[in-house]
Amino acid sequence: MKALFIGGTGTISTAITKQLLAQGCELYLLNRGTRNEGLPAGAHILQADINDEARVAELIADHSFDVVADFIAFVPEQLERDYRLFHGKTKQFMFISSASAYQTPLSDYRITEGTPLSNPCWEYSRNKIACEEYLVKQYREQGFPITVVRPSHTYDERSIPLGVHGSKGTWQVAKRMLENKPVIIHGDGTSLWTMTHNSDFARGFIGLMGNLHAIGESVQITSDETLTWNQIYESIAGALGVKLNAVHVASAFLDACSTEDYRGGLLGDKANSVVFDNSKLKRLVPEFVATTRFDQGVKQTIDYILAHPEHQAEDEAFDRWCDRVVGALEEAAARIRQ
């Protein structure tokens, strides 16, 4: 198989890249070349900015592909560019959408590919929906061989997957756990969520590559494991070897008192219970099974981050904000008790 990835070094795409190269795929990566040092040998690098359409067209002029996958398209204009570049040059075009595009709030917590797409809370999700609509139009009218893939919360060893964190990443929450400081969990912590290790996602994605039954389809790829946010945070604290000091705060309150995009990331995504039905993926890729249980996967993440200080970015502004939120709640409770 000859494949081209636009991107190829992110959380999701890195795992796919590594597994494909181990399988002997003829893999090309089109990116700016700033994050390729961690990739295994064997990938062919086409170094360019995908937004430089003329340069990319020049680089791929003598190529055609079995699969082209865009991991970094977020708005329809970027897919219009991809269509101009790859129409007639690939047997399958794969677009990474998002499970956050599903109906928010959900009318049924069980999610299939037939769940309506609608998210009034998050522009990111609405843009992904518009991207899907553009591609479906090209498939129906021009025969462009698309496959839309919808991941949910996918993680790797480089970042701890959490619900509430600051703009500099998630390490500060782990640091608060290690210091026995109160850690904010949105809502009451009992809403349902799914965490998917990137190695599991990669197996499902690779099974869709070159799969003629996936042409024209939208497919979600997630773990089958469902967790509450309380269980997620307890697993992280357990991996750190500490006792969790949790403070539960309403998602709407967090959004109201923060400059972060908690309206999109919480109200439009993580505050809602989700349970994914992966029956469609398993029909298309019968061998797919997610094997990494969250408590095991996040232990690997914690061990990696503790051993790599470069992934321990502190966020003092977020730390102070957490203290103010917790202090405000304690003060309010004390006043009411008077």
Side-chain angles (χ1 to χ4, degrees), residues 4-26:
L4 170 67
F5 286 178
I6 303 168
T9 59
T11 297
I12 287 176
S13 55
T14 294
I16 302 169
T17 294
K18 290 179 178 178
Q19 289 185 27
L20 282 175
L21 291 174
Q23 295 172 16
C25 175
E26 184 182 356

Side-chain angles (χ1 to χ4, degrees), residues 49-110:
D49 185 335
I50 183 60
N51 296 306
D52 186 349
E53 189 172 336
R55 174 57 178 159
V56 174
E58 179 183 346
L59 287 173
I60 66 171
D62 297 327
H63 292 280
S64 60
F65 302 94
D66 296 302
V67 178
V68 171
D70 193 336
F71 292 89
I72 55 174
F74 300 99
V75 295
E77 291 77 11
Q78 293 168 329
L79 290 171
E80 292 170 8
R81 171 206 64 208
D82 289 352
Y83 177 77
R84 292 191 295 268
L85 286 168
F86 300 111
H87 182 47
K89 295 187 75 67
T90 183
K91 297 175 183 176
Q92 182 184 30
F93 180 86
M94 302 181 74
F95 166 62
I96 311 303
S97 185
S98 170
S100 69
Y102 287 122
Q103 184 184 52
T104 303
L106 288 162
S107 58
D108 188 331
Y109 71 94
R110 295 164 296 187

Side-chain angles (χ1 to χ4, degrees), residues 57-213:
E58 179 183 346
L59 287 173
I60 66 171
D62 297 327
H63 292 280
S64 60
F65 302 94
D66 296 302
V67 178
V68 171
D70 193 336
F71 292 89
I72 55 174
F74 300 99
V75 295
E77 291 77 11
Q78 293 168 329
L79 290 171
E80 292 170 8
R81 171 206 64 208
D82 289 352
Y83 177 77
R84 292 191 295 268
L85 286 168
F86 300 111
H87 182 47
K89 295 187 75 67
T90 183
K91 297 175 183 176
Q92 182 184 30
F93 180 86
M94 302 181 74
F95 166 62
I96 311 303
S97 185
S98 170
S100 69
Y102 287 122
Q103 184 184 52
T104 303
L106 288 162
S107 58
D108 188 331
Y109 71 94
R110 295 164 296 187
I111 296 177
T112 72
E113 287 80 0
T115 298
L117 303 182
S118 173
N119 192 331
C121 296
W122 205 359
E123 184 181 14
Y124 165 83
S125 306
R126 294 194 297 275
N127 284 336
K128 288 288 191 178
I129 294 170
C131 287
E132 290 196 28
E133 290 172 342
Y134 170 78
L135 288 176
V136 169
K137 183 175 187 294
Q138 300 312 309
Y139 168 69
R140 290 172 175 167
E141 298 181 3
Q142 305 298 331
F144 192 45
I146 67 164
T147 299
V148 172
V149 177
R150 296 178 187 142
S152 185
H153 202 155
T154 307
Y155 69 101
D156 65 1
E157 75 280 4
R158 294 174 292 184
S159 180
I160 305 165
L162 287 166
V164 179
H165 59 84
S167 60
K168 295 183 179 180
T170 56
W171 167 250
Q172 193 66 44
V173 179
K175 188 171 186 288
R176 290 182 69 87
M177 290 183 183
L178 290 168
E179 295 172 350
N180 196 34
K181 288 184 176 180
V183 171
I184 294 171
I185 300 178
H186 60 278
D188 65 0
T190 62
S191 60
L192 303 176
W193 197 247
T194 297
M195 295 288 192
T196 307
H197 196 272
N198 67 344
S199 62
D200 288 329
F201 181 94
R203 284 191 291 274
F205 188 91
I206 291 170
L208 295 174
M209 293 178 64
N211 188 331
L212 64 89
H213 301 292

